[in-house]
Amino acid sequence: MQYHTDTAPKEIEKPLKSANMSDVTTEWDAHFVDVPQDVLFELILAANYMDIKPLLELTCAKVASMIKGKTPEQIRKLFHIQNDFTPEEEEAVRAENKWAEES
C-alpha cells in the first residue's frame, strides 16, 4: 500500500473522457477503487474528513464513471434511489434542464 509514497497521483481530467477508470487514471488507482459501493462511499467520507484531496478526487471520479452515460432511471437503480417525483414533476424538471441532455 505504498504505491503513492514514491509515485504522485495522476491528474484526473474533468469532465471524464471515459466511464472506464483505466482510461482516466493509472491501472493501480483504477484497481484500488474497484470496490463495493459501500466501501467506495466510506473511502469518500474518509478522504474528505482527513482532507486527502487526491483520494477524494479519485473516489469521486469513480462515482462519476459509474454515472457516466446512464439514464436517470439507471442511476436510481444503481444507487437504490427511490423516485419520489410525480410524472408531471419529472417532466417539468426535464424541461428546465434540457441543456444537460444536449451535451
Side-chain angles (χ1 to χ4, degrees), residues 1-58:
M1 187 78 161
Q2 297 183 358
Y3 179 77
H4 283 297
T5 301
D6 301 322
T7 308
K10 180 181 175 187
E11 183 74 24
I12 298 174
E13 288 183 43
K14 296 169 209 81
L16 296 183
K17 62 182 178 184
S18 171
N20 182 346
M21 284 299 289
S22 295
D23 296 339
V24 175
T25 189
T26 65
E27 195 65 40
W28 193 95
D29 284 340
H31 180 70
F32 183 79
V33 292
D34 189 19
V35 294
Q37 265 187 40
D38 60 330
V39 175
L40 180 62
F41 291 126
E42 289 293 327
L43 281 170
I44 290 171
L45 291 172
N48 186 50
Y49 179 77
M50 293 187 284
D51 198 27
I52 305 171
K53 299 285 187 213
L55 180 58
L56 184 60
E57 279 198 14
L58 177 65

Side-chain angles (χ1 to χ4, degrees), residues 72 90 93-95 97-103:
E90 191 165 348
V93 169
R94 286 183 193 274
N97 297 290
K98 189 72 173 170
W99 59 270
E101 294 176 9
E102 295 169 358
S103 49

Side-chain angles (χ1 to χ4, degrees), residues 38-86:
D38 60 330
V39 175
L40 180 62
F41 291 126
E42 289 293 327
L43 281 170
I44 290 171
L45 291 172
N48 186 50
Y49 179 77
M50 293 187 284
D51 198 27
I52 305 171
K53 299 285 187 213
L55 180 58
L56 184 60
E57 279 198 14
L58 177 65
T59 51
C60 288
K62 172 63 176 181
V63 173
S65 76
M66 294 166 69
I67 292 171
K68 189 169 183 66
K70 293 201 171 34
T71 65
E73 292 77 22
Q74 291 170 321
I75 295 168
R76 286 186 194 109
K77 185 175 180 179
L78 178 65
F79 294 113
H80 310 286
I81 299 170
Q82 184 178 3
N83 183 6
D84 56 355
F85 286 120
T86 66

